[in-house]
mmCIF file of all heavy atoms in Angstrom:
data_model
loop_
_atom_site.group_PDB
_atom_site.id
_atom_site.type_symbol
_atom_site.label_atom_id
_atom_site.label_comp_id
_atom_site.label_asym_id
_atom_site.label_seq_id
_atom_site.Cartn_x
_atom_site.Cartn_y
_atom_site.Cartn_z
ATOM 1 N N GLU H 62 83.461 127.369 78.311
ATOM 2 C CA GLU H 62 82.625 126.714 77.307
ATOM 3 C C GLU H 62 82.997 127.127 75.884
ATOM 4 O O GLU H 62 82.830 126.373 74.949
ATOM 5 C CB GLU H 62 81.164 127.124 77.608
ATOM 6 C CG GLU H 62 80.117 126.534 76.732
ATOM 7 C CD GLU H 62 79.704 125.138 77.216
ATOM 8 O OE1 GLU H 62 79.828 124.868 78.414
ATOM 9 O OE2 GLU H 62 79.296 124.353 76.381
ATOM 10 N N PHE H 63 83.494 128.347 75.768
ATOM 11 C CA PHE H 63 83.656 128.900 74.417
ATOM 12 C C PHE H 63 85.078 128.826 73.885
ATOM 13 O O PHE H 63 85.375 129.310 72.820
ATOM 14 C CB PHE H 63 83.106 130.336 74.396
ATOM 15 C CG PHE H 63 81.718 130.371 74.970
ATOM 16 C CD1 PHE H 63 81.491 130.841 76.256
ATOM 17 C CD2 PHE H 63 80.650 129.843 74.254
ATOM 18 C CE1 PHE H 63 80.220 130.819 76.799
ATOM 19 C CE2 PHE H 63 79.371 129.806 74.796
ATOM 20 C CZ PHE H 63 79.159 130.303 76.073
ATOM 21 N N SER H 64 85.940 128.149 74.690
ATOM 22 C CA SER H 64 87.309 127.975 74.215
ATOM 23 C C SER H 64 87.303 126.955 73.073
ATOM 24 O O SER H 64 86.586 125.952 73.134
ATOM 25 C CB SER H 64 88.177 127.486 75.371
ATOM 26 O OG SER H 64 89.179 126.680 74.876
ATOM 27 N N THR H 65 88.084 127.210 72.074
ATOM 28 C CA THR H 65 88.123 126.274 70.951
ATOM 29 C C THR H 65 89.373 125.398 71.024
ATOM 30 O O THR H 65 89.543 124.491 70.225
ATOM 31 C CB THR H 65 88.138 127.037 69.608
ATOM 32 O OG1 THR H 65 89.140 128.045 69.692
ATOM 33 C CG2 THR H 65 86.775 127.632 69.284
ATOM 34 N N ALA H 66 90.203 125.658 72.065
ATOM 35 C CA ALA H 66 91.502 124.980 72.145
ATOM 36 C C ALA H 66 91.373 123.464 72.201
ATOM 37 O O ALA H 66 92.164 122.739 71.621
ATOM 38 C CB ALA H 66 92.264 125.474 73.370
ATOM 39 N N GLY H 67 90.357 122.940 72.939
ATOM 40 C CA GLY H 67 90.248 121.494 73.140
ATOM 41 C C GLY H 67 89.577 120.760 71.996
ATOM 42 O O GLY H 67 89.500 119.540 72.004
ATOM 43 N N GLY H 68 89.081 121.452 71.016
ATOM 44 C CA GLY H 68 88.516 120.823 69.824
ATOM 45 C C GLY H 68 87.174 120.134 70.042
ATOM 46 O O GLY H 68 86.830 119.220 69.297
ATOM 47 N N LEU H 69 86.396 120.535 71.056
ATOM 48 C CA LEU H 69 85.068 119.947 71.251
ATOM 49 C C LEU H 69 84.010 120.975 70.860
ATOM 50 O O LEU H 69 84.140 122.156 71.177
ATOM 51 C CB LEU H 69 84.853 119.539 72.718
ATOM 52 C CG LEU H 69 85.820 118.507 73.307
ATOM 53 C CD1 LEU H 69 85.496 118.252 74.770
ATOM 54 C CD2 LEU H 69 85.765 117.200 72.526
ATOM 55 N N SER H 70 82.943 120.505 70.199
ATOM 56 C CA SER H 70 81.940 121.472 69.750
ATOM 57 C C SER H 70 80.949 121.850 70.849
ATOM 58 O O SER H 70 80.512 122.981 70.955
ATOM 59 C CB SER H 70 81.208 120.934 68.516
ATOM 60 O OG SER H 70 80.760 119.627 68.791
ATOM 61 N N VAL H 71 80.572 120.873 71.691
ATOM 62 C CA VAL H 71 79.666 121.171 72.820
ATOM 63 C C VAL H 71 80.360 120.665 74.089
ATOM 64 O O VAL H 71 80.016 119.602 74.615
ATOM 65 C CB VAL H 71 78.293 120.469 72.639
ATOM 66 C CG1 VAL H 71 77.252 121.083 73.586
ATOM 67 C CG2 VAL H 71 77.816 120.521 71.213
ATOM 68 N N PRO H 72 81.357 121.406 74.581
ATOM 69 C CA PRO H 72 82.234 120.868 75.631
ATOM 70 C C PRO H 72 81.502 120.321 76.847
ATOM 71 O O PRO H 72 81.844 119.243 77.332
ATOM 72 C CB PRO H 72 83.103 122.065 76.022
ATOM 73 C CG PRO H 72 83.023 123.005 74.885
ATOM 74 C CD PRO H 72 81.717 122.772 74.201
ATOM 75 N N HIS H 73 80.481 121.032 77.371
ATOM 76 C CA HIS H 73 79.908 120.547 78.634
ATOM 77 C C HIS H 73 79.253 119.186 78.469
ATOM 78 O O HIS H 73 79.279 118.359 79.372
ATOM 79 C CB HIS H 73 78.938 121.575 79.253
ATOM 80 C CG HIS H 73 77.721 121.861 78.438
ATOM 81 N ND1 HIS H 73 77.760 122.575 77.272
ATOM 82 C CD2 HIS H 73 76.422 121.525 78.629
ATOM 83 C CE1 HIS H 73 76.533 122.664 76.788
ATOM 84 N NE2 HIS H 73 75.705 122.042 77.598
ATOM 85 N N VAL H 74 78.718 118.919 77.285
ATOM 86 C CA VAL H 74 78.081 117.629 77.053
ATOM 87 C C VAL H 74 79.134 116.558 76.778
ATOM 88 O O VAL H 74 79.104 115.464 77.350
ATOM 89 C CB VAL H 74 77.082 117.721 75.871
ATOM 90 C CG1 VAL H 74 76.463 116.361 75.583
ATOM 91 C CG2 VAL H 74 76.009 118.757 76.175
ATOM 92 N N GLN H 75 80.112 116.904 75.944
ATOM 93 C CA GLN H 75 81.115 115.898 75.600
ATOM 94 C C GLN H 75 82.011 115.539 76.790
ATOM 95 O O GLN H 75 82.300 114.373 77.022
ATOM 96 C CB GLN H 75 81.949 116.380 74.409
ATOM 97 C CG GLN H 75 81.160 116.207 73.112
ATOM 98 C CD GLN H 75 81.561 117.212 72.052
ATOM 99 O OE1 GLN H 75 81.460 118.422 72.249
ATOM 100 N NE2 GLN H 75 82.039 116.713 70.937
ATOM 101 N N LEU H 76 82.424 116.551 77.564
ATOM 102 C CA LEU H 76 83.287 116.267 78.719
ATOM 103 C C LEU H 76 82.541 115.373 79.716
ATOM 104 O O LEU H 76 83.104 114.427 80.259
ATOM 105 C CB LEU H 76 83.726 117.570 79.401
ATOM 106 C CG LEU H 76 84.738 118.411 78.610
ATOM 107 C CD1 LEU H 76 84.879 119.799 79.235
ATOM 108 C CD2 LEU H 76 86.096 117.714 78.559
ATOM 109 N N ALA H 77 81.263 115.677 79.958
ATOM 110 C CA ALA H 77 80.477 114.879 80.905
ATOM 111 C C ALA H 77 80.277 113.455 80.375
ATOM 112 O O ALA H 77 80.352 112.486 81.129
ATOM 113 C CB ALA H 77 79.124 115.533 81.154
ATOM 114 N N GLY H 78 80.095 113.333 79.086
ATOM 115 C CA GLY H 78 79.805 112.022 78.491
ATOM 116 C C GLY H 78 80.995 111.074 78.524
ATOM 117 O O GLY H 78 80.827 109.860 78.633
ATOM 118 N N GLU H 79 82.196 111.639 78.461
ATOM 119 C CA GLU H 79 83.385 110.782 78.362
ATOM 120 C C GLU H 79 83.844 110.205 79.693
ATOM 121 O O GLU H 79 84.543 109.199 79.732
ATOM 122 C CB GLU H 79 84.560 111.607 77.802
ATOM 123 C CG GLU H 79 84.469 111.825 76.313
ATOM 124 C CD GLU H 79 85.466 112.873 75.824
ATOM 125 O OE1 GLU H 79 86.258 113.375 76.647
ATOM 126 O OE2 GLU H 79 85.418 113.180 74.625
ATOM 127 N N ALA H 80 83.485 110.877 80.811
ATOM 128 C CA ALA H 80 84.124 110.514 82.092
ATOM 129 C C ALA H 80 83.426 109.365 82.808
ATOM 130 O O ALA H 80 82.207 109.260 82.801
ATOM 131 C CB ALA H 80 84.146 111.742 83.001
ATOM 132 N N ASP H 81 84.244 108.494 83.449
ATOM 133 C CA ASP H 81 83.701 107.434 84.306
ATOM 134 C C ASP H 81 83.381 107.995 85.690
ATOM 135 O O ASP H 81 82.562 107.446 86.417
ATOM 136 C CB ASP H 81 84.737 106.305 84.476
ATOM 137 C CG ASP H 81 85.044 105.637 83.154
ATOM 138 O OD1 ASP H 81 84.098 105.154 82.513
ATOM 139 O OD2 ASP H 81 86.229 105.619 82.746
ATOM 140 N N LEU H 82 84.085 109.050 86.064
ATOM 141 C CA LEU H 82 83.917 109.619 87.410
ATOM 142 C C LEU H 82 84.299 111.090 87.361
ATOM 143 O O LEU H 82 85.200 111.481 86.606
ATOM 144 C CB LEU H 82 84.830 108.843 88.373
ATOM 145 C CG LEU H 82 84.812 109.208 89.855
ATOM 146 C CD1 LEU H 82 85.008 107.952 90.701
ATOM 147 C CD2 LEU H 82 85.880 110.214 90.224
ATOM 148 N N PHE H 83 83.595 111.899 88.165
ATOM 149 C CA PHE H 83 83.860 113.340 88.222
ATOM 150 C C PHE H 83 84.177 113.690 89.676
ATOM 151 O O PHE H 83 83.389 113.360 90.573
ATOM 152 C CB PHE H 83 82.605 114.081 87.731
ATOM 153 C CG PHE H 83 82.742 115.578 87.562
ATOM 154 C CD1 PHE H 83 83.974 116.231 87.600
ATOM 155 C CD2 PHE H 83 81.599 116.354 87.349
ATOM 156 C CE1 PHE H 83 84.076 117.602 87.424
ATOM 157 C CE2 PHE H 83 81.686 117.730 87.169
ATOM 158 C CZ PHE H 83 82.938 118.351 87.218
ATOM 159 N N VAL H 84 85.333 114.300 89.915
ATOM 160 C CA VAL H 84 85.693 114.681 91.282
ATOM 161 C C VAL H 84 86.052 116.170 91.302
ATOM 162 O O VAL H 84 86.811 116.639 90.439
ATOM 163 C CB VAL H 84 86.835 113.782 91.838
ATOM 164 C CG1 VAL H 84 88.087 113.793 90.984
ATOM 165 C CG2 VAL H 84 87.193 114.142 93.271
ATOM 166 N N ILE H 85 85.458 116.909 92.246
ATOM 167 C CA ILE H 85 85.721 118.351 92.320
ATOM 168 C C ILE H 85 86.570 118.636 93.554
ATOM 169 O O ILE H 85 86.140 118.394 94.690
ATOM 170 C CB ILE H 85 84.407 119.154 92.335
ATOM 171 C CG1 ILE H 85 83.582 118.790 91.087
ATOM 172 C CG2 ILE H 85 84.695 120.659 92.397
ATOM 173 C CD1 ILE H 85 82.240 119.503 90.981
ATOM 174 N N VAL H 86 87.788 119.111 93.332
ATOM 175 C CA VAL H 86 88.774 119.295 94.404
ATOM 176 C C VAL H 86 89.559 120.578 94.171
ATOM 177 O O VAL H 86 90.263 120.672 93.175
ATOM 178 C CB VAL H 86 89.778 118.118 94.403
ATOM 179 C CG1 VAL H 86 90.830 118.309 95.493
ATOM 180 C CG2 VAL H 86 89.069 116.790 94.599
ATOM 181 N N PRO H 87 89.508 121.556 95.027
ATOM 182 C CA PRO H 87 88.578 121.679 96.134
ATOM 183 C C PRO H 87 87.234 122.169 95.601
ATOM 184 O O PRO H 87 87.176 122.765 94.524
ATOM 185 C CB PRO H 87 89.233 122.750 97.017
ATOM 186 C CG PRO H 87 89.966 123.625 96.039
ATOM 187 C CD PRO H 87 90.421 122.713 94.936
ATOM 188 N N ALA H 88 86.180 121.939 96.396
ATOM 189 C CA ALA H 88 84.869 122.498 96.039
ATOM 190 C C ALA H 88 84.622 123.678 96.961
ATOM 191 O O ALA H 88 84.548 123.510 98.180
ATOM 192 C CB ALA H 88 83.787 121.435 96.211
ATOM 193 N N THR H 89 84.537 124.870 96.406
ATOM 194 C CA THR H 89 84.280 126.063 97.226
ATOM 195 C C THR H 89 82.798 126.114 97.608
ATOM 196 O O THR H 89 81.959 125.434 96.986
ATOM 197 C CB THR H 89 84.617 127.342 96.435
ATOM 198 O OG1 THR H 89 83.836 127.317 95.229
ATOM 199 C CG2 THR H 89 86.086 127.442 96.100
ATOM 200 N N ALA H 90 82.485 126.978 98.578
ATOM 201 C CA ALA H 90 81.087 127.147 99.000
ATOM 202 C C ALA H 90 80.244 127.594 97.810
ATOM 203 O O ALA H 90 79.094 127.162 97.632
ATOM 204 C CB ALA H 90 81.015 128.171 100.131
ATOM 205 N N ASN H 91 80.809 128.448 96.975
ATOM 206 C CA ASN H 91 80.102 128.955 95.798
ATOM 207 C C ASN H 91 79.737 127.817 94.839
ATOM 208 O O ASN H 91 78.594 127.689 94.385
ATOM 209 C CB ASN H 91 81.012 129.998 95.113
ATOM 210 C CG ASN H 91 80.291 130.728 94.002
ATOM 211 O OD1 ASN H 91 79.088 130.939 94.066
ATOM 212 N ND2 ASN H 91 81.030 131.100 92.963
ATOM 213 N N THR H 92 80.715 126.957 94.560
ATOM 214 C CA THR H 92 80.448 125.837 93.645
ATOM 215 C C THR H 92 79.470 124.850 94.267
ATOM 216 O O THR H 92 78.583 124.328 93.579
ATOM 217 C CB THR H 92 81.774 125.151 93.230
ATOM 218 O OG1 THR H 92 82.490 126.075 92.407
ATOM 219 C CG2 THR H 92 81.547 123.858 92.468
ATOM 220 N N VAL H 93 79.597 124.595 95.579
ATOM 221 C CA VAL H 93 78.656 123.689 96.253
ATOM 222 C C VAL H 93 77.232 124.221 96.066
ATOM 223 O O VAL H 93 76.304 123.480 95.737
ATOM 224 C CB VAL H 93 79.018 123.542 97.753
ATOM 225 C CG1 VAL H 93 77.914 122.809 98.517
ATOM 226 C CG2 VAL H 93 80.342 122.794 97.909
ATOM 227 N N ALA H 94 77.065 125.546 96.232
ATOM 228 C CA ALA H 94 75.737 126.151 96.082
ATOM 229 C C ALA H 94 75.229 125.991 94.645
ATOM 230 O O ALA H 94 74.067 125.649 94.406
ATOM 231 C CB ALA H 94 75.802 127.630 96.467
ATOM 232 N N LYS H 95 76.115 126.210 93.687
ATOM 233 C CA LYS H 95 75.706 126.070 92.278
ATOM 234 C C LYS H 95 75.253 124.645 91.982
ATOM 235 O O LYS H 95 74.259 124.418 91.292
ATOM 236 C CB LYS H 95 76.865 126.420 91.351
ATOM 237 C CG LYS H 95 77.180 127.899 91.295
ATOM 238 C CD LYS H 95 78.297 128.133 90.293
ATOM 239 C CE LYS H 95 78.835 129.535 90.442
ATOM 240 N NZ LYS H 95 79.863 129.829 89.447
ATOM 241 N N LEU H 96 76.010 123.670 92.517
ATOM 242 C CA LEU H 96 75.658 122.267 92.256
ATOM 243 C C LEU H 96 74.313 121.933 92.893
ATOM 244 O O LEU H 96 73.475 121.254 92.296
ATOM 245 C CB LEU H 96 76.730 121.319 92.818
ATOM 246 C CG LEU H 96 78.160 121.436 92.271
ATOM 247 C CD1 LEU H 96 79.077 120.435 92.954
ATOM 248 C CD2 LEU H 96 78.191 121.219 90.769
ATOM 249 N N ALA H 97 74.130 122.438 94.129
ATOM 250 C CA ALA H 97 72.883 122.115 94.836
ATOM 251 C C ALA H 97 71.673 122.709 94.126
ATOM 252 O O ALA H 97 70.599 122.117 94.102
ATOM 253 C CB ALA H 97 72.962 122.615 96.275
ATOM 254 N N TRP H 98 71.841 123.895 93.553
ATOM 255 C CA TRP H 98 70.700 124.598 92.970
ATOM 256 C C TRP H 98 70.648 124.519 91.447
ATOM 257 O O TRP H 98 69.817 125.171 90.806
ATOM 258 C CB TRP H 98 70.674 126.056 93.465
ATOM 259 C CG TRP H 98 70.401 126.012 94.936
ATOM 260 C CD1 TRP H 98 71.317 126.047 95.947
ATOM 261 C CD2 TRP H 98 69.137 125.789 95.562
ATOM 262 N NE1 TRP H 98 70.722 125.870 97.161
ATOM 263 C CE2 TRP H 98 69.363 125.724 96.958
ATOM 264 C CE3 TRP H 98 67.832 125.638 95.083
ATOM 265 C CZ2 TRP H 98 68.343 125.504 97.878
ATOM 266 C CZ3 TRP H 98 66.810 125.428 96.009
ATOM 267 C CH2 TRP H 98 67.069 125.366 97.385
ATOM 268 N N GLY H 99 71.519 123.714 90.873
ATOM 269 C CA GLY H 99 71.429 123.456 89.436
ATOM 270 C C GLY H 99 71.820 124.623 88.555
ATOM 271 O O GLY H 99 71.306 124.760 87.441
ATOM 272 N N MET H 100 72.712 125.480 89.043
ATOM 273 C CA MET H 100 73.169 126.585 88.193
ATOM 274 C C MET H 100 74.222 126.095 87.212
ATOM 275 O O MET H 100 74.928 125.137 87.476
ATOM 276 C CB MET H 100 73.725 127.710 89.063
ATOM 277 C CG MET H 100 72.616 128.396 89.844
ATOM 278 S SD MET H 100 73.286 129.609 90.939
ATOM 279 C CE MET H 100 73.851 130.828 89.754
ATOM 280 N N ALA H 101 74.324 126.800 86.097
ATOM 281 C CA ALA H 101 75.265 126.368 85.059
ATOM 282 C C ALA H 101 75.893 127.608 84.427
ATOM 283 O O ALA H 101 75.832 127.791 83.224
ATOM 284 C CB ALA H 101 74.552 125.516 84.031
ATOM 285 N N ASP H 102 76.504 128.457 85.294
ATOM 286 C CA ASP H 102 77.023 129.715 84.765
ATOM 287 C C ASP H 102 78.520 129.677 84.462
ATOM 288 O O ASP H 102 79.131 130.687 84.200
ATOM 289 C CB ASP H 102 76.697 130.875 85.725
ATOM 290 C CG ASP H 102 77.391 130.715 87.056
ATOM 291 O OD1 ASP H 102 77.914 129.602 87.322
ATOM 292 O OD2 ASP H 102 77.432 131.699 87.816
ATOM 293 N N ASN H 103 79.126 128.499 84.583
ATOM 294 C CA ASN H 103 80.491 128.328 84.063
ATOM 295 C C ASN H 103 80.617 126.890 83.548
ATOM 296 O O ASN H 103 79.691 126.083 83.749
ATOM 297 C CB ASN H 103 81.560 128.685 85.108
ATOM 298 C CG ASN H 103 81.474 127.826 86.365
ATOM 299 O OD1 ASN H 103 80.832 126.787 86.380
ATOM 300 N ND2 ASN H 103 82.134 128.277 87.417
ATOM 301 N N LEU H 104 81.714 126.574 82.916
ATOM 302 C CA LEU H 104 81.822 125.252 82.288
ATOM 303 C C LEU H 104 81.709 124.136 83.324
ATOM 304 O O LEU H 104 81.021 123.142 83.110
ATOM 305 C CB LEU H 104 83.149 125.147 81.514
ATOM 306 C CG LEU H 104 83.393 123.795 80.838
ATOM 307 C CD1 LEU H 104 82.321 123.478 79.803
ATOM 308 C CD2 LEU H 104 84.772 123.757 80.188
#
Side-chain angles (χ1 to χ4, degrees):
E62 182 84 27
F63 309 103
S64 149
T65 49
L69 300 178
S70 51
V71 196
H73 64 288
V74 177
Q75 283 152 301
L76 289 168
E79 283 168 3
D81 297 304
L82 182 145
F83 187 12
V84 57
I85 303 179
V86 179
T89 57
N91 188 32
T92 291
V93 170
K95 287 183 193 183
L96 299 179
W98 294 96
M100 290 176 69
D102 64 347
N103 60 16
L104 179 61

